[in-house]
Structures are given as C-alpha cells and as structure tokens.
Amino acid sequence: DMDTRTPPLVLGLLAPVLLLAAGVLAGPGPSVITRNNNLVFSTSTGAQILLEAVNNNTGVLEATDVLIGQAAISTLISAAVAPLQSQIGNIALQLTQEQSRSAALENSVTILGAALLAASSNLTTERVRAMSTEASQASQVMGVDTSLAGAVSQETSRASATEGSIAVSAGSSISQLGNSQGSLAVSLSSASARTGATDASLATSLSVAVAQAAASLAASASAQMAAEQARATGIEASLAGSVSAAVGLEGSLAAATASLSSVSSLAGALAMETSRAVRVDASLAVGVSTAFATEASLGTAFFNYAQQTMLGTVSAPAVDCYDIYRQRTQLNIAMTDGFYYITAGQGSANAFMAYCKVLANTAFTMVMNLNTRDGNVFWWGNTLWQSSGTYGTLTSSYAFATDIKSPAFNFLTGQTRVMIIVHQQGSVVGWKSWRLSSGAALPTLYSIFSAGNCGGGNSFCNKLLGDTVDQSSTAGISTAEALVRISTSLYANYYSGSSDLQRFGSPQAAPADNVGGGIGVWHDAGACQSIPSPYSGFGISCGGGSFRQCSEAQGGWCPSYSKAPGGADSGTFGTDSCVPMNCLMTDSGNTANWAAASGINYDYMVLLGRYA
C-alpha cells in the first residue's frame, strides 16, 4: 500500500507558512506576524507589514529580513502544494485502479480454483466408476463364460450318461434278446412254422422301442441345448450392453480429460495475469517511490524558495525582467506577465515599476508602449525621443491605455534582443525579435537617439539594432503592416531617402521614397512649412511646404498615392498624427495632406531582452 504520510522534511518546511496561512484563512482580524530566521510573514499586504512587524514585538527588522505578505503566502502555498496534490491524486487513482484489477484477478483465481477442484473431483469419481465398471463387467464376463462352460459340460455329461444308459439298456436288451433268441431258436427248431410269426412280431416291437427311445433322447437333448443357447445369447447381449456402457464411460473420461486441459490453460492464463499483476505492483511501487522523491524535491525547492529573497519586489528589485525570470526558473516557479520592480542598473534607491512580458523562453522588459489613439503623438519630432524625460504612469489598469516611455528606455543596457509587439489594447496580434549576428549587447536606446540629429543620411542615421530575426509570430498581422510582419532587420533613426525618417524602421518596411513607414514617422521632412512648438529643431531645414506625413505609426501614405510594401492599401495605424490628416495630396495649410488613417487600430510595444 502507498504511504500517504507527508514526509517530516516537508512538514517542517511548511509549518511556519501553514500557521500563518491559518491566520490568513481565518478572515478579518488582527494581523499575524511570524518570524522564521530572516523571514517575516504577515497576513497583511503592502507597506503595512513593516509597521506591524515592529508593533507586534517581532523586534527591529534587520537589513537581510524578507517581508512576505498574504498574497505571497497564498502564491507560495499554491505553487508548493498544487503540483504535489495533483501527483498524489494521480497516484491514488492509479492505486485504486490497480487494487480493483487485483480484486478482479483474485476473484478469477477463486473461481478458476473452484472449477479446477470440481473438475479434478469429477475426474477422480469418473475414473473410480470406470475402474469399478470394468472390474464388474470383467467379472460378469468371466462368470458367464464359467457358467456357460459348466452348463455345456453338464449337458455333455448328461448326454453321455443318457447315451451310456441307452447303450446299457440296448445291450441288456440285446443280451436278453439273444438269450430269448437262443431259447426261441431251440423252440423254433422244434416248431419253426409257429416261431416264424413270433420272430416277425418281436422284431417289429424291438424296432419300435428303439425308435421311441432314440426320439425321446434327441428331443430332451435338443430342448436342453436350446435353453442353454438362449441363456448364452442373453449373457452375450448383457455383455454387449456392458461393453457399450464402458465405451460411453471412456468417452466421458476423455471429455473430463479435455476439460482438465482447458482448466490447465486457464491456470496458465491465471499465472500470466498474476505475473502481470506482480509487475504492475512493482511499477506502482516505483511510482510511489518517485512521488516521495518528487515530494522531497518539492520540499527542497520550497526550502530554497523560503530561504531566498524573491526578486522583483519594491524591497528586492531586480536588474531587469530576465533577472526575475532566471531566479524563478531555478526555483521551478512560473513567472507571468505583469508588473515588477527593477533598477536597470541604477541601484535599489532608484528602482521603478516595469512591465515584463514572458515570451520566447525569457522575460522581456518593456521600454515603450505606443497607443496610437490616445492623442499624445510620438512622431519623429517628439522631443522625448532625444531627451531623458519619461512619459505615462505605469499601473496595472493603465498599462496599455496611453503612451508610455519607461525609465528603462534611458538606462537599460546589456540587452541582446529587441522585440516589437503589435497589439490592440494589450491583446497581442503578432511579434518579432531581432538580434545582432555578432552577439554584441546594445547600449541604451536613449544613448542611440540622443547622439545627434539624423538628416540626409549622416552618421546619426540608420543605427543597426538587429540584423538577424531571432524569433517571431506574425501570421495574424495584416498585410497593411510591414515593420513587424516582413522586416528581416531593424534600425533606429532609419533614413529611407529624400528626407523620409522613421525612429524604428527597416529597408523592408520603407523600401523606397514615399513608400511604407514604421514607428515615429516624418516623411518628406524637408517639405515642411513650419514646425509648430514644441516640435522645433532636430536639424530639419524646412522648405516652405506643409507636413506630408507625421504619424506615430504607419504602413504607408494615402492609398490613392502609394501602397504599402507588397501592394496592400494602408495608411496610419490609429489616429495619432502631429497635424490633422486629409489626403488632399496638395501642399497647403498646417495639415498632413498626404496621409490617411488605414482604419486599423494597431498599437506597438517596444521591449528589450537577453538570454543567459
């Protein structure tokens, strides 16, 4: 049977947490504070833990103390116990199934054993009956033969005696006759005439007497012989019946032998099933042993979890999202998309909240989110591209509702992947990540964009971010979009000719003058009439025309003027443009006369990541 007791190691490790969990489950009331080495557990949440830890006489907190609140306890208990419960449940189910099978096998063994005993008993009985019948029949045959021989012998003796008696009688008669004849001869000699008639009469009487005696003897012998023959025939018929019964008995014996053979086959099958049951029991024993080993491993993991400071909290910020992913992977704890605290290498005092996206076997750190319909326009001329300022407030309810420029944009370095996600208010449509084939890590994005003003294809333009596609999922993206869907490389400050500029672009997304687009767009920048505040500078020399394209993100110009790469109708994604769009295709007024909305509300998220 499987030992369902929880190993002492796991009980010891779970004890402080379970005690505190009892307080959590008890509902509202005073907070419960528990210290275990450098772990301080509380049923409260947030910063209130610190105050309660001191007020409840747990002592002054040390620098190495880790505060674990109600949510972390629940997560910890769920993460530690759920896999073990599932595994034990599976083993219990398997054990129940095997016990049912064993019970069925035992029942089959009982039935087969009873059948075997019954068949053996029947066979023994039939054999005894056969032997008894054969002995009886043999005795009867011998008796019949003996009786018949005796009867024949008696009749032969009687016939011989009768013949002897007849012979004696005949001899006596003949002797007497001879004497009489002698006497008569004497008399005849004296009176031959008279004796002639007397001789004839005596001869006739003698002949009649002899014939009668012979007939009587023959009739008596024939009658006795017929009776003995009838008796012998009856004995032979009885013997034939006994032989037939013996043959039937032999048939029954053969059937019983065949039944015994069938029972032997069943016994063999039973032996095979018993062997299989033994193997299953052994396999189940291995499974139970594995479960205990897994339970012990889980206990060790739980111990490691409890002994470590979990990264990503305000009191223990990580360097980046990958740092959090790596630690939780080592502890066998799944990391989910969400909000964590990181430093981007600036120290714990400067920690900030960042959005982490778990994708492609790592966790990427969001540096920028662009909502293309929020009214804030991150076109090429937005000063935040080249300044250290940030934009937007990152909270769980405000992650995708507005543009976000995270401090990670300015400080996060040492990353080897750039990922751009196409989404709609947080619902992912498709994504792609790029890397440098050289394996080199990237500097901060701020250092790239703030190095100088890109114009005319100078050295500040076309800064390579990745020349190799690392991983991607683009099947759901519309053909009106090219930057993520078809780009095999990615550049910052991409200059595509004749003053067409994209903050994030590629040769595939903007393959020619006045075609395509990217993120942070200003096409035909030299044709501007004037740059209204605060969009002045950036080394752009305006030639006296209007804005032709100045969108936050686009796949192409007016569809009636040019198509997106690949030939699809396109335009801007969302509605964010530095000036209103009208697609009049004339240079007049402070409008984007060569731009039109595509009707597709795609948002963009830019993230940085790395692997071990």
Side-chain angles (χ1 to χ4, degrees):
D1 294 334
M2 183 181 70
D3 188 353
T4 58
R5 294 173 299 175
T6 305
L9 173 60
V10 177
L11 289 175
L13 293 173
L14 289 176
V17 178
L18 293 178
L19 288 174
L20 188 58
V24 173
L25 298 175
S31 298
V32 178
I33 302 298
T34 305
R35 172 183 288 276
N36 181 17
N37 294 330
N38 289 117
L39 299 178
V40 178
F41 298 87
S42 173
T43 57
S44 299
T45 59
Q48 185 182 359
I49 297 174
L50 179 60
L51 180 59
E52 291 181 348
V54 175
N55 291 340
N56 283 273
N57 297 322
T58 58
V60 178
L61 294 179
E62 301 175 2
T64 56
D65 282 345
V66 177
L67 303 179
I68 300 180
Q70 177 179 346
I73 294 170
S74 299
T75 301
L76 184 148
I77 292 174
S78 298
V81 174
L84 181 59
Q85 288 178 333
S86 175
Q87 189 166 13
I88 291 177
N90 291 336
I91 292 174
L93 177 60
Q94 185 180 5
L95 180 58
T96 300
Q97 293 173 344
E98 290 303 328
Q99 288 175 340
S100 298
R101 292 190 58 185
S102 296
L105 286 174
E106 291 176 359
N107 187 43
S108 298
V109 170
T110 302
I111 294 173
L112 289 174
L116 182 60
L117 289 175
S120 178
S121 177
N122 291 338
L123 180 59
T124 302
T125 302
E126 292 299 327
R127 283 178 174 172
V128 172
R129 288 181 58 189
M131 293 174 63
S132 176
T133 302
E134 287 177 355
S136 176
Q137 295 299 324
S139 176
Q140 289 180 10
V141 170
M142 292 178 64
V144 169
D145 289 343
T146 301
S147 176
L148 183 60
V152 171
S153 176
Q154 289 178 2
E155 291 302 322
T156 301
S157 298
R158 289 177 60 187
S160 298
T162 301
E163 290 177 354
S165 177
I166 293 173
V168 170
S169 297
S172 177
S173 296
I174 292 171
S175 178
Q176 292 177 3
L177 180 59
N179 293 330
S180 296
Q181 285 177 346
S183 298
L184 286 174
V186 176
S187 297
L188 286 173
S189 62
S190 59
S192 56
R194 186 170 55 85
T195 59
T198 302
D199 289 339
S201 175
L202 183 59
T204 300
S205 298
L206 179 62
S207 177
V208 170
V210 171
Q212 287 178 347
S216 175
L217 180 62
S220 176
S222 177
Q224 288 185 3
M225 185 66 70
E228 291 300 329
Q229 286 178 346
R231 183 181 175 193
T233 300
I235 291 173
E236 288 177 353
S238 176
L239 181 60
S242 298
V243 171
S244 176
V247 171
L249 189 60
E250 289 178 353
S252 298
L253 182 61
T257 302
S259 176
L260 180 60
S261 176
S262 176
V263 170
S264 298
S265 298
L266 290 175
L270 176 61
M272 293 178 62
E273 286 299 321
T274 302
S275 176
R276 183 175 180 275
V278 169
R279 292 196 304 271
V280 169
D281 287 342
S283 176
L284 185 59
V286 172
V288 172
S289 176
T290 302
F292 276 115
T294 301
E295 188 177 19
S297 176
L298 182 60
T300 301
F302 182 84
F303 178 79
N304 291 337
Y305 178 90
Q307 294 299 311
Q308 290 199 36
T309 300
M310 298 305 298
L311 299 178
T313 64
V314 66
S315 60
V319 173
D320 57 8
C321 292
Y322 171 76
D323 205 19
I324 302 170
Y325 179 86
R326 176 186 54 78
Q327 183 197 46
R328 299 198 177 200
T329 300
Q330 291 173 348
L331 296 176
N332 197 29
I333 299 173
M335 179 181 177
T336 59
D337 298 349
F339 303 93
Y340 301 86
Y341 282 89
I342 66 172
T343 66
Q346 301 304 299
S348 298
N350 298 308
F352 57 91
M353 182 182 288
Y355 180 75
C356 296
K357 181 70 176 178
V358 179
L359 200 63
N361 298 318
T362 187
F364 287 81
T365 305
M366 186 189 80
V367 297
M368 173 173 280
N369 181 69
L370 298 176
N371 183 314
T372 59
R373 299 170 306 286
D374 69 341
N376 181 73
V377 186
F378 264 96
W379 70 295
W380 175 277
N382 191 315
T383 58
L384 287 174
W385 288 106
Q386 292 182 247
S387 74
S388 61
T390 59
Y391 185 86
T393 302
L394 190 61
T395 65
S396 59
S397 61
Y398 202 61
F400 311 110
T402 183
D403 292 345
I404 298 288
K405 181 190 174 188
S406 168
F409 185 100
N410 299 328
F411 302 117
L412 192 58
T413 185
Q415 307 298 296
T416 59
R417 268 68 171 176
V418 180
M419 175 181 285
I420 299 180
I421 297 177
V422 180
H423 66 95
Q424 292 177 309
Q425 291 290 293
S427 178
V428 175
V429 178
W431 56 272
K432 182 176 287 183
S433 65
W434 297 263
R435 61 179 174 83
L436 291 172
S437 58
S438 65
L442 295 171
T444 67
L445 291 181
Y446 169 72
S447 66
I448 295 174
F449 288 114
S450 64
N453 294 318
C454 166
N458 61 23
S459 62
F460 301 114
C461 299
N462 299 339
K463 309 302 290 186
L464 184 63
L465 299 176
D467 57 4
T468 302
V469 173
D470 187 44
Q471 299 186 68
S472 66
S473 175
T474 60
I477 302 176
S478 168
T479 55
E481 202 279 342
L483 178 63
V484 175
R485 188 174 60 85
I486 66 173
S487 292
T488 58
S489 57
L490 184 67
Y491 290 83
N493 287 341
Y494 185 68
Y495 177 85
S496 57
S498 186
S499 65
D500 286 354
L501 303 168
Q502 291 85 199
R503 290 297 184 181
F504 290 102
S506 74
Q508 295 77 36
D513 183 34
N514 297 347
V515 176
I519 294 174
V521 177
W522 189 5
H523 278 195
D524 279 359
C528 64
Q529 177 183 12
S530 63
I531 304 177
S533 179
Y535 305 128
S536 59
F538 301 107
I540 301 299
S541 176
C542 295
S546 66
F547 288 98
R548 294 180 177 175
Q549 290 277 354
C550 57
S551 65
E552 189 165 87
Q554 70 180 52
W557 289 42
C558 289
S560 57
Y561 175 73
S562 70
K563 305 292 185 180
D569 286 345
S570 189
T572 64
F573 298 118
T575 56
D576 285 347
S577 173
C578 74
V579 291
M581 302 176 287
N582 58 30
C583 197
L584 295 176
M585 292 187 290
T586 60
D587 291 333
S588 63
N590 194 24
T591 55
N593 296 330
W594 303 79
S598 67
I600 301 174
N601 294 324
Y602 279 168
D603 301 324
Y604 287 85
M605 184 184 294
V606 181
L607 309 96
L608 299 178
R610 62 188 174 101
Y611 291 87

PDB file of all heavy atoms in Angstrom, residues 51-70:
ATOM      1  N   LEU A  51       5.326  48.217   9.581  1.00  0.00           N
ATOM      2  CA  LEU A  51       4.833  48.808  10.809  1.00  0.00           C
ATOM      3  C   LEU A  51       4.338  47.726  11.768  1.00  0.00           C
ATOM      4  O   LEU A  51       4.639  47.745  12.959  1.00  0.00           O
ATOM      5  CB  LEU A  51       3.704  49.795  10.489  1.00  0.00           C
ATOM      6  CG  LEU A  51       3.079  50.521  11.707  1.00  0.00           C
ATOM      7  CD1 LEU A  51       4.136  51.309  12.468  1.00  0.00           C
ATOM      8  CD2 LEU A  51       1.948  51.425  11.230  1.00  0.00           C
ATOM      9  N   GLU A  52       3.590  46.780  11.251  1.00  0.00           N
ATOM     10  CA  GLU A  52       3.035  45.745  12.104  1.00  0.00           C
ATOM     11  C   GLU A  52       4.125  44.839  12.635  1.00  0.00           C
ATOM     12  O   GLU A  52       4.051  44.333  13.747  1.00  0.00           O
ATOM     13  CB  GLU A  52       1.998  44.924  11.327  1.00  0.00           C
ATOM     14  CG  GLU A  52       0.752  45.726  11.007  1.00  0.00           C
ATOM     15  CD  GLU A  52      -0.269  44.889  10.249  1.00  0.00           C
ATOM     16  OE1 GLU A  52       0.111  43.811   9.800  1.00  0.00           O
ATOM     17  OE2 GLU A  52      -1.409  45.320  10.135  1.00  0.00           O
ATOM     18  N   ALA A  53       5.156  44.622  11.825  1.00  0.00           N
ATOM     19  CA  ALA A  53       6.246  43.758  12.281  1.00  0.00           C
ATOM     20  C   ALA A  53       6.907  44.345  13.521  1.00  0.00           C
ATOM     21  O   ALA A  53       7.298  43.639  14.452  1.00  0.00           O
ATOM     22  CB  ALA A  53       7.273  43.577  11.178  1.00  0.00           C
ATOM     23  N   VAL A  54       7.045  45.664  13.574  1.00  0.00           N
ATOM     24  CA  VAL A  54       7.671  46.324  14.722  1.00  0.00           C
ATOM     25  C   VAL A  54       6.691  46.400  15.894  1.00  0.00           C
ATOM     26  O   VAL A  54       7.040  46.097  17.039  1.00  0.00           O
ATOM     27  CB  VAL A  54       8.150  47.736  14.320  1.00  0.00           C
ATOM     28  CG1 VAL A  54       8.690  48.479  15.547  1.00  0.00           C
ATOM     29  CG2 VAL A  54       9.216  47.622  13.255  1.00  0.00           C
ATOM     30  N   ASN A  55       5.447  46.761  15.601  1.00  0.00           N
ATOM     31  CA  ASN A  55       4.455  46.932  16.661  1.00  0.00           C
ATOM     32  C   ASN A  55       4.058  45.612  17.328  1.00  0.00           C
ATOM     33  O   ASN A  55       3.524  45.589  18.421  1.00  0.00           O
ATOM     34  CB  ASN A  55       3.195  47.602  16.105  1.00  0.00           C
ATOM     35  CG  ASN A  55       3.473  49.058  15.725  1.00  0.00           C
ATOM     36  OD1 ASN A  55       4.446  49.636  16.200  1.00  0.00           O
ATOM     37  ND2 ASN A  55       2.635  49.607  14.862  1.00  0.00           N
ATOM     38  N   ASN A  56       4.289  44.513  16.698  1.00  0.00           N
ATOM     39  CA  ASN A  56       3.908  43.221  17.262  1.00  0.00           C
ATOM     40  C   ASN A  56       5.090  42.512  17.902  1.00  0.00           C
ATOM     41  O   ASN A  56       5.161  41.293  17.956  1.00  0.00           O
ATOM     42  CB  ASN A  56       3.287  42.325  16.177  1.00  0.00           C
ATOM     43  CG  ASN A  56       1.864  42.730  15.882  1.00  0.00           C
ATOM     44  OD1 ASN A  56       0.926  42.293  16.535  1.00  0.00           O
ATOM     45  ND2 ASN A  56       1.721  43.581  14.870  1.00  0.00           N
ATOM     46  N   ASN A  57       6.056  43.285  18.305  1.00  0.00           N
ATOM     47  CA  ASN A  57       7.179  42.760  19.103  1.00  0.00           C
ATOM     48  C   ASN A  57       7.974  41.691  18.365  1.00  0.00           C
ATOM     49  O   ASN A  57       8.438  40.721  18.958  1.00  0.00           O
ATOM     50  CB  ASN A  57       6.653  42.194  20.436  1.00  0.00           C
ATOM     51  CG  ASN A  57       6.008  43.272  21.289  1.00  0.00           C
ATOM     52  OD1 ASN A  57       6.484  44.408  21.338  1.00  0.00           O
ATOM     53  ND2 ASN A  57       4.906  42.925  21.934  1.00  0.00           N
ATOM     54  N   THR A  58       8.103  41.827  17.047  1.00  0.00           N
ATOM     55  CA  THR A  58       8.963  40.873  16.322  1.00  0.00           C
ATOM     56  C   THR A  58      10.402  41.345  16.342  1.00  0.00           C
ATOM     57  O   THR A  58      11.284  40.711  15.777  1.00  0.00           O
ATOM     58  CB  THR A  58       8.493  40.733  14.868  1.00  0.00           C
ATOM     59  OG1 THR A  58       8.525  42.032  14.254  1.00  0.00           O
ATOM     60  CG2 THR A  58       7.106  40.161  14.816  1.00  0.00           C
ATOM     61  N   GLY A  59      10.607  42.504  16.949  1.00  0.00           N
ATOM     62  CA  GLY A  59      11.982  43.004  17.014  1.00  0.00           C
ATOM     63  C   GLY A  59      12.258  43.954  15.871  1.00  0.00           C
ATOM     64  O   GLY A  59      11.503  44.072  14.908  1.00  0.00           O
ATOM     65  N   VAL A  60      13.325  44.629  15.973  1.00  0.00           N
ATOM     66  CA  VAL A  60      13.719  45.566  14.915  1.00  0.00           C
ATOM     67  C   VAL A  60      14.131  44.760  13.695  1.00  0.00           C
ATOM     68  O   VAL A  60      14.902  43.809  13.779  1.00  0.00           O
ATOM     69  CB  VAL A  60      14.896  46.448  15.381  1.00  0.00           C
ATOM     70  CG1 VAL A  60      15.342  47.384  14.260  1.00  0.00           C
ATOM     71  CG2 VAL A  60      14.486  47.240  16.608  1.00  0.00           C
ATOM     72  N   LEU A  61      13.603  45.123  12.553  1.00  0.00           N
ATOM     73  CA  LEU A  61      13.910  44.384  11.323  1.00  0.00           C
ATOM     74  C   LEU A  61      15.378  44.580  10.952  1.00  0.00           C
ATOM     75  O   LEU A  61      15.936  45.674  11.072  1.00  0.00           O
ATOM     76  CB  LEU A  61      13.031  44.864  10.165  1.00  0.00           C
ATOM     77  CG  LEU A  61      11.542  44.577  10.327  1.00  0.00           C
ATOM     78  CD1 LEU A  61      10.795  45.115   9.124  1.00  0.00           C
ATOM     79  CD2 LEU A  61      11.318  43.090  10.485  1.00  0.00           C
ATOM     80  N   GLU A  62      15.984  43.496  10.506  1.00  0.00           N
ATOM     81  CA  GLU A  62      17.358  43.565  10.036  1.00  0.00           C
ATOM     82  C   GLU A  62      17.392  43.802   8.534  1.00  0.00           C
ATOM     83  O   GLU A  62      16.402  43.606   7.833  1.00  0.00           O
ATOM     84  CB  GLU A  62      18.061  42.248  10.384  1.00  0.00           C
ATOM     85  CG  GLU A  62      18.059  41.962  11.885  1.00  0.00           C
ATOM     86  CD  GLU A  62      18.653  40.581  12.176  1.00  0.00           C
ATOM     87  OE1 GLU A  62      19.080  39.918  11.226  1.00  0.00           O
ATOM     88  OE2 GLU A  62      18.679  40.188  13.342  1.00  0.00           O
ATOM     89  N   ALA A  63      18.569  44.191   8.061  1.00  0.00           N
ATOM     90  CA  ALA A  63      18.687  44.518   6.626  1.00  0.00           C
ATOM     91  C   ALA A  63      18.432  43.308   5.753  1.00  0.00           C
ATOM     92  O   ALA A  63      18.014  43.442   4.606  1.00  0.00           O
ATOM     93  CB  ALA A  63      20.083  45.090   6.340  1.00  0.00           C
ATOM     94  N   THR A  64      18.692  42.117   6.304  1.00  0.00           N
ATOM     95  CA  THR A  64      18.533  40.896   5.485  1.00  0.00           C
ATOM     96  C   THR A  64      17.154  40.280   5.610  1.00  0.00           C
ATOM     97  O   THR A  64      16.887  39.230   5.035  1.00  0.00           O
ATOM     98  CB  THR A  64      19.585  39.840   5.902  1.00  0.00           C
ATOM     99  OG1 THR A  64      19.436  39.599   7.309  1.00  0.00           O
ATOM    100  CG2 THR A  64      20.979  40.312   5.594  1.00  0.00           C
ATOM    101  N   ASP A  65      16.271  40.908   6.437  1.00  0.00           N
ATOM    102  CA  ASP A  65      14.928  40.350   6.586  1.00  0.00           C
ATOM    103  C   ASP A  65      14.161  40.451   5.271  1.00  0.00           C
ATOM    104  O   ASP A  65      14.332  41.388   4.502  1.00  0.00           O
ATOM    105  CB  ASP A  65      14.140  41.111   7.667  1.00  0.00           C
ATOM    106  CG  ASP A  65      14.577  40.653   9.061  1.00  0.00           C
ATOM    107  OD1 ASP A  65      15.230  39.603   9.143  1.00  0.00           O
ATOM    108  OD2 ASP A  65      14.253  41.341  10.038  1.00  0.00           O
ATOM    109  N   VAL A  66      13.299  39.460   5.046  1.00  0.00           N
ATOM    110  CA  VAL A  66      12.415  39.463   3.882  1.00  0.00           C
ATOM    111  C   VAL A  66      10.982  39.498   4.386  1.00  0.00           C
ATOM    112  O   VAL A  66      10.593  38.679   5.217  1.00  0.00           O
ATOM    113  CB  VAL A  66      12.624  38.180   3.017  1.00  0.00           C
ATOM    114  CG1 VAL A  66      11.632  38.192   1.862  1.00  0.00           C
ATOM    115  CG2 VAL A  66      14.048  38.145   2.503  1.00  0.00           C
ATOM    116  N   LEU A  67      10.227  40.442   3.919  1.00  0.00           N
ATOM    117  CA  LEU A  67       8.826  40.572   4.342  1.00  0.00           C
ATOM    118  C   LEU A  67       7.956  39.846   3.329  1.00  0.00           C
ATOM    119  O   LEU A  67       8.019  40.092   2.144  1.00  0.00           O
ATOM    120  CB  LEU A  67       8.418  42.053   4.392  1.00  0.00           C
ATOM    121  CG  LEU A  67       9.284  42.947   5.310  1.00  0.00           C
ATOM    122  CD1 LEU A  67       8.791  44.360   5.247  1.00  0.00           C
ATOM    123  CD2 LEU A  67       9.247  42.420   6.745  1.00  0.00           C
ATOM    124  N   ILE A  68       7.138  38.933   3.834  1.00  0.00           N
ATOM    125  CA  ILE A  68       6.258  38.169   2.948  1.00  0.00           C
ATOM    126  C   ILE A  68       4.835  38.390   3.414  1.00  0.00           C
ATOM    127  O   ILE A  68       4.478  38.042   4.535  1.00  0.00           O
ATOM    128  CB  ILE A  68       6.606  36.668   2.960  1.00  0.00           C
ATOM    129  CG1 ILE A  68       8.053  36.478   2.503  1.00  0.00           C
ATOM    130  CG2 ILE A  68       5.657  35.882   2.074  1.00  0.00           C
ATOM    131  CD1 ILE A  68       8.482  35.039   2.480  1.00  0.00           C
ATOM    132  N   GLY A  69       4.008  38.941   2.538  1.00  0.00           N
ATOM    133  CA  GLY A  69       2.628  39.248   2.883  1.00  0.00           C
ATOM    134  C   GLY A  69       1.670  38.158   2.474  1.00  0.00           C
ATOM    135  O   GLY A  69       2.048  37.082   2.016  1.00  0.00           O
ATOM    136  N   GLN A  70       0.379  38.468   2.656  1.00  0.00           N
ATOM    137  CA  GLN A  70      -0.666  37.473   2.425  1.00  0.00           C
ATOM    138  C   GLN A  70      -0.659  36.947   1.006  1.00  0.00           C
ATOM    139  O   GLN A  70      -0.755  35.741   0.778  1.00  0.00           O
ATOM    140  CB  GLN A  70      -2.024  38.100   2.737  1.00  0.00           C
ATOM    141  CG  GLN A  70      -3.221  37.157   2.466  1.00  0.00           C
ATOM    142  CD  GLN A  70      -4.519  37.822   2.820  1.00  0.00           C
ATOM    143  OE1 GLN A  70      -4.517  38.846   3.480  1.00  0.00           O
ATOM    144  NE2 GLN A  70      -5.611  37.236   2.408  1.00  0.00           N
TER     145      GLN A  70
END
